[in-house]
Amino acid sequence: MPHVKKGEKPDMTLYLAAPRGFCAGVDRAIQIVERSLELHGAPVYVRHEIVHNRHVVERLERMGAVFVDELDECPEDRPVVFSAHGVPKSVPAEAKRRNMVFLDATCPLVSKVHVEAERHASQGRDILLIGHEGHPEVIGTMGQLPDGQIILIETEDDARNFTPRDADNLALVTQTTLSVDDTAGIIAVLQDRFPAIALPYKEDICYATTNRQAAVKAIAERCDLLLVIGASNSSNSKRLVEVGELAGSDKARLVASAREIDWNDLSGVSKLGLTAGASAPEYLVEQVIAAMRMRFNVTIEEVEVTKEKVIFRLPKSLREPA
């Protein structure tokens, strides 16, 4: 970094990745909670975080949403919303048994994976799911079918060591928020071992995950440091950090907001990359840029790899006037 006189701000080139931030599935899920509050009044219960971002959750809590871990924490006389990550079939079944009003905010691209899994099961195939154990989306997908019918594959080693009941009767689905490159490696191992394995008709990894990773790859080599705005429990945000490091950024960090930035990390940095995970609102990006401007003479270069025009409609019951 060039010598800076005392009192002067050092120069900083900020490469702003695009697309970034909210995807259509996240936007729809948040709108479902907001619209439910408009129609039914507070409180509206939400099973699990609607999306993995505390800023979003806390804002909805201020509006009257109550977030719970399980359905048995919800009273029967108030609406309940299921999170964007999807839920096991047992959850809506229990809500129906209790005559509850419930709304499913599962991302349509996650629902597509659920439908694929059920279709393969109906054709007698065992199903392999590439994903991360314990993630709500994985729990929801595995819960679409009886125990043992979906086998979780997390790594290439898992793919090498898995022993099928019938090597000629396998199908593959994936979590929607994985690293595109890591998943391709696991799929290659499985295809090599099981040439007859049925693959998704279209990519299970969602368009937003793919686009945000492509945007990070487009800026990573130029960056001394890449900042990814997102929650520590957000799969797609954590994958952006990994993708940035592998694509050539000297360092990559996940931060929840401007307040979490370790400014010592920016010592000697003159080229900064900035993006946000699919559940991070744009105002968090704006706050980081404002914090940067307080400390640096910032020049912003937005690097856009594609435009996103996807919109998912709200459930019919929420589209109708109150």
Side-chain angles (χ1 to χ4, degrees):
M1 189 165 68
H3 177 72
V4 178
K5 293 179 182 178
K6 189 174 182 180
E8 286 185 358
K9 296 177 182 178
D11 291 337
M12 175 73 76
T13 301
L14 195 158
Y15 297 105
L16 190 57
R20 64 182 175 275
F22 278 0
C23 61
V26 165
D27 198 41
R28 174 181 178 269
I30 293 168
Q31 286 186 56
I32 286 174
V33 178
E34 292 171 343
R35 183 68 176 140
S36 297
L37 285 162
E38 287 176 18
L39 289 175
H40 300 286
V44 166
Y45 286 75
V46 186
R47 183 185 179 277
H48 291 177
E49 289 188 343
I50 187 69
V51 297
H52 280 159
N53 190 280
R54 285 306 304 170
H55 295 271
V56 171
V57 168
E58 288 168 7
R59 176 177 144 310
L60 292 172
E61 284 177 333
R62 290 192 293 271
M63 295 172 66
V66 177
F67 290 85
V68 298
D69 289 328
E70 297 299 341
L71 199 62
D72 59 15
E73 299 172 62
C74 303
E76 293 175 359
D77 61 347
R78 296 305 305 164
V80 59
V81 178
F82 303 145
S83 83
H85 309 101
V87 295
K89 274 193 169 180
S90 58
V91 175
E94 174 63 10
K96 287 178 183 176
R97 189 192 69 77
R98 293 175 59 190
N99 293 317
M100 300 175 78
V101 173
F102 64 91
L103 295 117
D104 190 353
T106 300
C107 172
L109 298 178
V110 174
S111 296
K112 178 180 80 74
V113 176
H114 293 178
V115 170
E116 284 178 1
E118 289 189 281
R119 176 173 57 83
H120 289 307
S122 72
Q123 295 169 349
R125 297 187 179 104
D126 284 336
I127 297 148
L128 305 184
L129 167 62
I130 301 176
H132 297 296
E133 185 174 12
H135 189 278
E137 183 184 330
V138 167
I139 293 169
T141 299
M142 295 186 78
Q144 300 305 301
L145 293 168
D147 287 350
Q149 203 154 353
I150 299 180
I151 300 97
L152 183 63
I153 302 289
E154 294 192 83
T155 65
E156 290 187 22
D157 280 345
D158 288 349
R160 292 186 191 98
N161 297 327
F162 162 70
T163 302
R165 291 189 298 185
D166 182 355
D168 294 323
N169 227 359
L170 294 173
L172 178 69
V173 296
T174 82
Q175 185 179 333
T176 64
T177 55
L178 300 176
S179 159
V180 173
D181 296 331
D182 288 351
T183 306
I186 296 171
I187 291 173
V189 172
L190 290 171
Q191 283 188 293
D192 183 56
R193 290 192 65 205
F194 312 115
I197 192 168
L199 300 176
Y201 173 65
K202 288 187 177 180
E203 279 286 347
D204 282 344
I205 296 176
C206 83
Y207 78 93
T209 298
T210 302
N211 291 346
R212 279 149 192 71
Q213 290 179 19
V216 162
K217 289 177 183 177
I219 65 173
E221 282 191 345
R222 309 186 215 179
C223 301
D224 304 319
L225 172 67
L226 171 71
L227 291 182
V228 177
I229 303 171
S232 60
N233 60 343
S234 166
S235 175
N236 78 85
S237 299
K238 290 193 289 187
R239 301 294 82 75
L240 290 175
V241 174
E242 296 167 1
V243 168
E245 289 174 336
L246 289 170
S249 178
D250 290 345
K251 293 185 290 185
R253 299 282 186 268
L254 180 67
V255 295
S257 66
R259 287 182 296 179
E260 271 200 10
I261 294 173
D262 180 353
W263 295 103
N264 293 324
D265 261 351
L266 277 79
S267 177
V269 170
S270 61
K271 296 178 179 178
L272 180 77
L274 183 61
T275 190
S279 48
E282 181 65 12
Y283 71 77
L284 294 177
V285 176
E286 294 165 359
Q287 288 174 359
V288 169
I289 293 172
M292 292 289 170
R293 290 194 188 280
M294 291 175 64
R295 295 164 174 85
F296 300 94
N297 179 31
V298 176
T299 301
I300 295 177
E301 182 180 332
E302 186 167 52
V303 180
E304 184 176 61
V305 296
T306 189
K307 290 189 181 296
E308 292 180 345
K309 299 178 181 178
V310 178
I311 297 173
F312 294 135
R313 298 183 76 189
L314 296 180
K316 186 178 178 182
S317 63
L318 298 183
R319 297 199 302 268
E320 296 167 351

